[in-house]
C-alpha cells in the first residue's frame, strides 16, 4: 500500500512503479488505485531459455494507491473506516514523503511530514486497541477466562503505542495469533520513500535519507529509499531502450520499476523458489524459513496433502551443470522431506500422491 499526506506525489510514485497502469483517483476521493508489477529475475529468464518453456510466470507485487492521510494525529480524528478498509489488508507499506517544493504546500519538510503520518497510524492502532480492551475487559470480568491472554497482549501493545512507538517494536503484534487479525498499521513492514524533484542533488537526498535512518533506527522491517517521481513516472511508460537513455541522463543505473519493486519484495521477507519444465517455468513467492511442505502447498494444495518428497537443487548448481539430467549425474539433486527449510533460488520438483 502506498501511503502519505495529500500532495506528496503518491499517485505519481504509483505510476512510476506500475508503468502507468491503473491509477489513483483525484485528491479527496476514497477510491484506491491498483497495479500489478512483475519482479524481474535473471534466474527465471535463464530457466525459461534452458527449458524452452512455453509459458513463463514471474512473481508479482501488487501496489495499492491509498487515498491521502490527514496527518492530524489527534484523538477523535483517527483514520476513517473507508481508508482503513484499503490499508488493513496490505502486507507492507510504501510511505511516500514529499521532497519537493509545492506552490500549494510550501517548502519540503520531509522529516516533519514523515512523523505526522507515523503518528496518525500509531493513533489509529491505539484507538483499535483501546476499543478491543474495553470490550473484552467486560467479558473477562464476566468470567470469560480464555480472553485473559489476549487482554494481556493488548495491554502490552497499548503501552508501546502510548509511548509513541510503532508496533513493529512489539514482536507479538505480527507473530501472535491473537493479534495478527488486527493488521495493525504500525506493525507492517514499511519502506520510507523520498519523492524528490530533479533539482534536488543526490547529496541532499542522501543526507535526508540518513536523517530518516536515524529517526527510525532500531525499527525492524523498515527501509529507506528515494525516487525522482515525476521523471520516473514518464520513464516507466517508455520502451526499454528509450528508458535506458533517460535513466543515464539522471545518473540512475536502473529505474524505479525494477529497483523499488525488488526493494518492496525484499521488505516482505520473501524468497523465491522455482518449478521448471517444458510446459512452464515459474517463480513462486514463499516466506523465509518456510518448509518444503509449505512450498508444495503454494504450488497446489494436492501437492501439500499428498507430499512424499522434494527433489531440490540450488539455481547456481543447476546452471553449472547445464541441465537437470547432468545435475542428477553429478549428484547435485537432493531428496528432502517435508520439514526441509527452503532457500532462495532453489529449483524444486515435488513428488506427491493423492
Amino acid at each position: 500500500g502506498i501511503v502519505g499526506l495529500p500532495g506528496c506525489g503518491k499517485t505519481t510514485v504509483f505510476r512510476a512503479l506500475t508503468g502507468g497502469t491503473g491509477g489513483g483517483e483525484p485528491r479527496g476521493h476514497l477510491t484506491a488505485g491498483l497495479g500489478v508489477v512483475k519482479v524481474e529475475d535473471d534466474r527465471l529468464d535463464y530457466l525459461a531459455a534452458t527449458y524452452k518453456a512455453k509459458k513463463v510466470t514471474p512473481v508479482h507485487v501488487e501496489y495499492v494507491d491509498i487515498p491521502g492521510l490527514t496527518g492530524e494525529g489527534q484523538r477523535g480524528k483517527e483514520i476513517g473506516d473507508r481508508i482503513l478498509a484499503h490499508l488493513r489488508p496490505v502486507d507492507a507499506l510504501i510511505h511516500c514523503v514529499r521532497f519537493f517544493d509545492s506552490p500549494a504546500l510550501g517548502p519540503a519538510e520531509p522529516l516533519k511530514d514523515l512523523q505526522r503520518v507515523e503518528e496518525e497510524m500509531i493513533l489509529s492502532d491505539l484507538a483499535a486497541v483501546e476499543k478491543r480492551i474495553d470490550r473484552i475487559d467486560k467479558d473477562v470480568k464476566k468470567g470469560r477466562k480464555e480472553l485473559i491472554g489476549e487482554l494481556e497482549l493488548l495491554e502490552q501493545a497499548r503501552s508501546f503505542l502510548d509511548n509513541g512507538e510503532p508496533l513493529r517494536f512489539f514482536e507479538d503484534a505480527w507473530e501472535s495469533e491473537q493479534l495478527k487479525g488486527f493488521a495493525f498499521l504500525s506493525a507492517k513492514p514499511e519502506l520510507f520513500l523520498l519523492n524528490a524533484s530533479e533539482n534536488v542533488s543526490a547529496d541532499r537526498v542522501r543526507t535526508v535519507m540518513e536523517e530518516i535512518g536515524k529517526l527510525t533506527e532500531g525499527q525492524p522491517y523498515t527501509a529507506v529509499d528515494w525516487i525522482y517521481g515525476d521523471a520516473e513516472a514518464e520513464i516507466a511508460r517508455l520502451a526499454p531502450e528509450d528508458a535506458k537513455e533517460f535513466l543515464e541522463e539522471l545518473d540512475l543505473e536502473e529505474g524505479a520499476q525494477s529497483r523499488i519493486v525488488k526493494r518492496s519484495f525484499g521488505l516482505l521477507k520473501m524468497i523465491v523458489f522455482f518449478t521448471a519444465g517444458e510446459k512452464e517455468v515459474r517463480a513462486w513467492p514463499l516466506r523465509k524459513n518456510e518448509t518444503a511442505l509449505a512450498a508444495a502447498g503454494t504450488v497446489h494444495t494436492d501437492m501439500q496433502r499428498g507430499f512424499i518428497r522434494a527433489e531440490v537443487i540450488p539455481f547456481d548448481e543447476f546452471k553449472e551443470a547445464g541441465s537437470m539430467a547432468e545435475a542428477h549425474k553429478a549428484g547435485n539433486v537432493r531428496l528432502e522431506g517435508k520439514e526441509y527449510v527452503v532457500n532462495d533460488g532453489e529449483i524444486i520438483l515435488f513428488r506427491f500422491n493423492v
Side-chain angles (χ1 to χ4, degrees), residues 261-322:
V261 168
K262 289 175 186 173
R263 200 75 192 272
S264 305
F265 188 74
L267 193 64
L268 293 171
K269 303 298 178 185
M270 305 288 277
I271 63 168
V272 172
F273 71 91
F274 303 99
T275 54
E278 291 180 3
K279 287 185 178 179
E280 183 181 19
V281 166
R282 182 161 181 165
W284 300 89
L286 187 71
R287 294 280 180 191
K288 273 186 179 178
N289 300 318
E290 286 284 11
T291 64
L293 186 65
T298 302
V299 178
H300 200 286
T301 53
D302 283 350
M303 286 187 178
Q304 187 174 44
R305 186 159 54 91
F307 184 97
I308 298 171
R309 65 179 182 271
E311 296 183 9
V312 181
I313 181 171
F315 173 79
D316 289 341
E317 292 182 19
F318 173 86
K319 187 174 181 180
E320 187 176 338

Side-chain angles (χ1 to χ4, degrees), residues 219-345:
Q219 287 192 35
Y221 299 106
T222 58
V224 186
D225 216 314
W226 67 285
I227 185 174
Y228 285 138
D230 284 331
E232 296 211 51
E234 293 302 317
I235 290 171
R237 300 166 67 94
L238 301 175
E241 285 305 312
D242 294 332
K244 185 179 179 182
E245 184 179 330
F246 278 99
L247 287 170
E248 287 172 356
E249 287 180 16
L250 291 171
D251 200 25
L252 296 173
E253 292 184 8
E254 57 181 341
Q257 261 190 307
S258 176
R259 181 168 56 90
I260 305 301
V261 168
K262 289 175 186 173
R263 200 75 192 272
S264 305
F265 188 74
L267 193 64
L268 293 171
K269 303 298 178 185
M270 305 288 277
I271 63 168
V272 172
F273 71 91
F274 303 99
T275 54
E278 291 180 3
K279 287 185 178 179
E280 183 181 19
V281 166
R282 182 161 181 165
W284 300 89
L286 187 71
R287 294 280 180 191
K288 273 186 179 178
N289 300 318
E290 286 284 11
T291 64
L293 186 65
T298 302
V299 178
H300 200 286
T301 53
D302 283 350
M303 286 187 178
Q304 187 174 44
R305 186 159 54 91
F307 184 97
I308 298 171
R309 65 179 182 271
E311 296 183 9
V312 181
I313 181 171
F315 173 79
D316 289 341
E317 292 182 19
F318 173 86
K319 187 174 181 180
E320 187 176 338
S323 70
M324 193 61 79
E326 290 301 317
H328 274 287
K329 284 181 185 178
N332 291 334
V333 181
R334 306 187 311 271
L335 296 180
E336 301 289 356
K338 60 177 67 174
E339 297 302 320
Y340 172 74
V341 175
V342 177
N343 297 296
D344 183 63

